Amino acid sequence: MMKDCTVIGGGPAGLNATLVLGRARRNVILVDSNEARNKVTSASHGFVTRDGITPAEFRQLAHQEFSSYPSISTLEDKVIEIIKKAEGFTIKTQMGKEWSTRKVILATGVKEKFPNIPNLRNFYGKSIFNCPYCDGWELRDKPLALFGEVDYTFHTAEILQNWSRNLVIFTNGKELTKNNEKKMEKLNIRVETSKIRLLTGKEGMLQQVELENGLSIERVGGLVTPELVQASDLGTLLGVQLNETGGHHSDEVGNTKVTGLFVTGEASNVYPAQLIIAAASGA
Ligand SMILES: Cc1cc2nc3c(=O)[nH]c(=O)nc-3n(C[C@H](O)[C@H](O)[C@H](O)COP(=O)(O)OP(=O)(O)OC[C@H]3O[C@@H](n4cnc5c(N)ncnc54)[C@H](O)[C@@H]3O)c2cc1C
């Protein structure tokens, strides 16, 4: 049977889109490969009524809610191809499933491209995060590291002042522009430009940043400013271009130039990267 809609991606954006479609009695299938980037963290913050929830529980609660709506089905699998047809699309998955659908919502999110710092991933989501509004409270007043080398890193340093004034920026071998140097001097923020040799700590909790110039600096956690890039090329393969923020080009309700193809969450707008904003976009 042809589905009314296939939602690809089961983060907050895809989950909320599925819920609203189910309540609208649409025959909807949610396909999710369960590889969300926030899986590495043990608590999500800032979603009113859900502050501190684990990413797994957030998803589980959404799936429980789906059970009230008989037109919703879900599948843990990865969509590997979307083929445009005269009417609607054909969906193909990694596990060999195939079906027709009138509409498609891409809610596939983004993934991080980190600065080239050895073993950073071991600390990501435990003591090193990427969004002060999400995890800054837990890091408040502590000796923090900020890893990054782009203009956005220095903007983050300015924002972070409200959480901790004990901050060292590590650019991992990149020199600062004159403008950023002046800004950091004005705020009295220490910047280390030496390449990083290794991060040390226990069970993901940062203790030291070891530099190639021989210095070892104690820090208990911090932030990194990765580049956020689309997690899936399904949209661009259908001819949708990316906009200047890295999201897929669409109008304000997610309509792309491909008839019947919509984008939502971070597949649509990469920033601001927050659960509640992705969920609202899905709705
Ligand atoms: C370490 C960390 C901590 C964070 N903490 C917070 C926080 O405290 N508060 C907050 O508001 N935000 C937080 N965020 C940000 C938040 O996770 C994102 O803003 C939000 O998850 C984006 O939602 P989304 O639905 O657009 O995408 P995602 O949640 O990334 O979901 C995308 C889904 O699509 C699936 N997918 C991708 N391609 C395919 C495919 N081809 N087929 C099937 N499925 C596919 C993926 O498996 C994934 O499940 C954090 C992020 C990270 C990395």
Side-chain angles (χ1 to χ4, degrees), residues 8-14 31-38 40-41 43-45 59 77-79 107-110 112 124-125 129-130 134-135 231-232 234 264-267 273-276 278:
I8 306 175
V31 195
D32 182 41
S33 57
N34 203 8
E35 299 163 319
R37 65 193 183 93
N38 70 340
V40 293
T41 186
S44 299
H45 305 102
R59 287 176 177 228
D77 200 346
K78 186 167 193 152
V79 172
T108 39
V110 294
E112 297 93 348
Y124 191 55
F129 302 91
N130 76 4
C134 301
D135 298 290
S232 162
L234 291 167
T264 183
E266 289 170 4
Q274 300 257 293
L275 294 163
I276 203 158

Side-chain angles (χ1 to χ4, degrees), residues 42 47 96 106 126 265:
S42 60
F47 196 120
L106 274 185
K126 297 191 180 75

Side-chain angles (χ1 to χ4, degrees), residues 114-115 117 120 124 127-136 139 144-148 153 156-157 160 163 167-170 206 221-226:
F114 286 112
I117 298 171
L120 176 80
Y124 191 55
S127 59
I128 299 176
F129 302 91
N130 76 4
C131 154
Y133 294 98
C134 301
D135 298 290
L139 299 172
L144 301 184
L146 174 60
F147 303 97
T153 310
T156 304
L160 258 179
W163 281 280
L167 180 66
V168 181
I169 301 178
F170 297 90
L206 183 66
L223 279 101
V224 56
T225 49

